[in-house]
Amino acid sequence: MNKKLWALNLLLAAAAAYGGVQLRKEWRAAKDREAAELSKKLKTPPTPIFRPLPADQPVLAANYAPVAQKFLFDRERNPNVVVEVKAPPPPPPMPALPIYRGMMQIGSRGPVAFLSLTPDGAHQAIHPGEPIGPFKLVAVNAEEITFEWNGEKVTKRVDELPRSTAPPPEAQAAADTRGQAAVPAAPPAAPPPTGPGAVTPFGGERTCSMTDGHNEGDVVDGYKKVVFTTPFGKNCTYQPVSK
């Protein structure tokens, strides 16, 4: 029994000695690590650049204008006065185009269109640049004709324009009185004499009307009335006396 106790005591003593040796090794290793860490030289970081804070902006009354213009309890308040702009009235409708009766080229005088304002009205020889009613003739050829109305150009094919199919007023009056006794009609009142019309682009000539009260060869305001015959009847123009 004593031998066993001695053996157990020796074993415990050996275990205690081994534990002490291991504990010393761990302590020495911890000391070495501590000494190594304390001997390290630390790198000094660079000094940061000093940047001063931005200066405070001066107090301006304009920055607080919205506070005075907008009422916090009324979202509809607006300092801007809304001015209602009325839309311009629509342009007047364009009247009916003149009645087209034909056109022709007369030598160096350029093209001339024979037009009338109404189907039973007298035809007029109109050169480009001359007015007829509210329109002004701009250009004409065998296929197209161009008018100017209210600052706008209107181009139509000649076959699209209205044409006059009504008989002359004299023929219509004769048809209405056919079979009745002829009643002499009172002679129409002579219109007051007029003179040369607007200047045309053809050598300073002026427009003319066959019913202006002057005869062929009359000189009015320095212009001589010249009558010429066209396939559509007689027409006239006023030429400067110097010609």
Side-chain angles (χ1 to χ4, degrees):
M1 185 68 182
N2 292 332
K3 291 181 178 180
K4 293 181 178 181
L5 291 175
W6 278 104
L8 180 61
N9 290 334
L10 290 174
L11 183 60
L12 291 174
Y18 180 77
V21 172
Q22 293 296 327
L23 181 61
R24 181 176 177 78
K25 287 182 178 181
E26 293 292 334
W27 179 77
R28 292 295 302 177
K31 285 291 185 179
D32 294 340
R33 289 195 299 271
E34 182 180 358
E37 290 294 332
L38 293 176
S39 63
K40 287 182 178 180
K41 294 183 178 181
L42 299 178
K43 293 182 179 181
T44 305
T47 304
I49 301 175
F50 174 74
R51 292 185 176 87
L53 296 176
D56 294 336
Q57 296 294 330
V59 178
L60 300 176
N63 297 337
Y64 299 91
V67 178
Q69 294 178 350
K70 296 181 180 179
F71 186 51
L72 297 179
F73 303 100
D74 187 2
R75 72 175 71 181
E76 300 298 331
R77 182 175 179 182
N78 189 351
N80 300 323
V81 179
V82 179
V83 180
E84 296 183 0
V85 180
K86 295 184 179 179
M94 185 179 68
L97 292 173
I99 306 299
Y100 179 77
R101 298 177 181 269
M103 66 83 58
M104 65 180 300
Q105 184 86 17
I106 305 177
S108 62
R109 292 172 54 84
V112 57
F114 297 93
L115 308 169
S116 62
L117 292 175
T118 59
D120 56 349
H123 70 274
Q124 304 179 39
I126 305 298
H127 296 86
E130 296 179 354
I132 175 170
F135 297 93
K136 183 174 74 171
L137 181 63
V138 177
V140 63
N141 54 44
E143 297 181 355
E144 291 184 341
I145 186 169
T146 302
F147 295 99
E148 181 179 340
W149 175 80
N150 201 17
E152 299 180 0
K153 292 185 178 180
V154 180
T155 302
K156 294 286 186 180
R157 293 182 56 86
V158 293
D159 54 4
E160 295 178 350
L161 291 176
R163 294 174 178 266
S164 176
T165 58
E170 295 81 0
Q172 183 65 35
D176 294 341
T177 58
R178 186 175 300 170
Q180 300 179 4
V183 179
T194 58
V199 178
T200 67
F202 305 103
E205 296 182 3
R206 290 180 176 269
T207 57
C208 173
S209 173
M210 291 296 295
T211 59
D212 59 2
H214 296 286
N215 299 321
E216 181 179 5
D218 291 350
V219 177
V220 182
D221 297 335
Y223 289 85
K224 181 180 179 180
K225 183 174 183 179
V226 178
V227 179
F228 54 89
T229 303
T230 70
F232 301 93
K234 290 187 176 182
N235 202 355
C236 63
T237 183
Y238 276 100
Q239 297 179 357
V241 177
S242 58
K243 285 193 174 183

